[in-house]
Amino acid sequence: MTARVECVVTTGVVAGPDADTTPMENNVWIIGDDEQAMVVDAAHEPDVIATTLGDRRVVAIACTHAHNGHVDAAVALSDRTGAPIMLHPDDLELWRRSFPSRVPDEELVDGRVIDVAGTALTVRHTPGHTPGSVSLYDPALRRVFTGDMLLSRGPGTIGPEDSDFQAMIQSIRERLVTLPPETVVCPGHGDVTTVGEVGERVEDWLRRIA
Ligand SMILES: [Fe+2]
């Protein structure tokens, strides 16, 4: 059976020292078929995500980065499904702010491949938004899951503490907009776009700030 991609939009209030009380909407991406699935960014509402997963075997809960609003449902979903939580090790410090007594199960290191439902997602370490931000690229599905690194409007947000502006530009230029232009960009918030469309926006943005 061919893998399909589903998007579940969940809503929650972000916790932590930098939080405000504005509810935030996140895209939770589910890649799989009728038998198995993986989750990209278990955000806010574990029950809603679990309902969408149904009785499928969950092979991974992959975290694009460890900001609270992208991982706050990860532990509850892992406990419920038995799926391993995966995170790049450079975001462990951030992770501990949300879950001081539980560590992720596996490392999302650059080049790692996650197999699910007959397709394969490759980890691209794309630091910048946070040190351990990753994107997950699937050439067969023509999709890249970018978390907060690349949104439909262009580059993701730069926080005062966790972000590195130069690293973000470098990651986007060298590791994301270099993907085939027809690749669909599936971000952590908002609409999808394509690498071709967002690549032009990124270059405009870079020209404006130069
Ligand atoms: Fe973030």
Side-chain angles (χ1 to χ4, degrees):
M1 187 172 290
T2 309
R4 61 182 185 271
V5 178
E6 298 165 84
C7 180
V8 181
V9 178
T10 59
T11 306
V13 174
V14 176
D18 306 324
D20 64 29
T21 54
T22 309
M24 178 179 280
E25 279 193 347
N26 277 64
N27 297 332
V28 179
W29 295 98
I30 296 174
I31 303 103
D33 58 15
D34 291 346
E35 307 296 322
Q36 56 178 246
M38 66 172 285
V39 176
V40 177
D41 284 355
H44 307 314
E45 298 181 271
D47 292 347
V48 173
I49 303 167
T51 299
T52 306
L53 289 165
D55 58 4
R56 291 183 278 179
R57 185 169 71 87
V58 184
V59 302
I61 299 169
C63 309
T64 59
H65 64 297
H67 277 153
N68 179 267
H70 289 252
V71 298
D72 55 356
V75 169
L77 192 64
S78 175
D79 288 346
R80 193 158 162 168
T81 61
I85 297 170
M86 301 181 181
L87 178 74
H88 192 282
D90 289 354
D91 263 14
L92 266 182
E93 190 183 321
L94 260 178
W95 169 271
R96 288 194 191 99
R97 294 186 203 167
S98 297
F99 301 107
S101 57
R102 163 91 180 246
V103 292
D105 303 293
E106 297 183 27
E107 295 187 343
L108 275 187
V109 292
D110 190 68
R112 177 170 182 172
V113 176
I114 303 170
D115 294 305
V116 61
T119 197
L121 290 91
T122 302
V123 176
R124 294 171 84 83
H125 185 206
T126 47
H129 179 70
T130 64
S133 285
V134 299
S135 300
L136 296 154
Y137 176 50
D138 187 327
L141 292 176
R142 295 184 176 177
R143 302 260 185 166
V144 62
F145 301 88
T146 55
D148 281 350
M149 279 297 294
L150 193 58
L151 308 174
S152 63
R153 66 166 188 264
T157 49
I158 297 286
E161 190 182 346
D162 312 312
S163 304
D164 180 327
F165 182 67
Q166 290 303 328
M168 184 145 183
I169 291 173
Q170 192 173 353
S171 289
I172 290 173
R173 270 192 155 156
E174 295 179 6
R175 310 220 70 195
L176 291 173
V177 300
T178 48
L179 294 172
E182 68 275 16
T183 307
V184 176
V185 176
C186 301
H189 308 276
D191 297 332
V192 299
T193 182
T194 64
V195 165
E197 286 173 356
V198 80
E200 290 175 19
R201 272 174 232 142
V202 166
E203 288 308 317
D204 281 349
W205 178 79
L206 290 170
R207 273 192 292 274
R208 281 201 302 276
I209 62 166

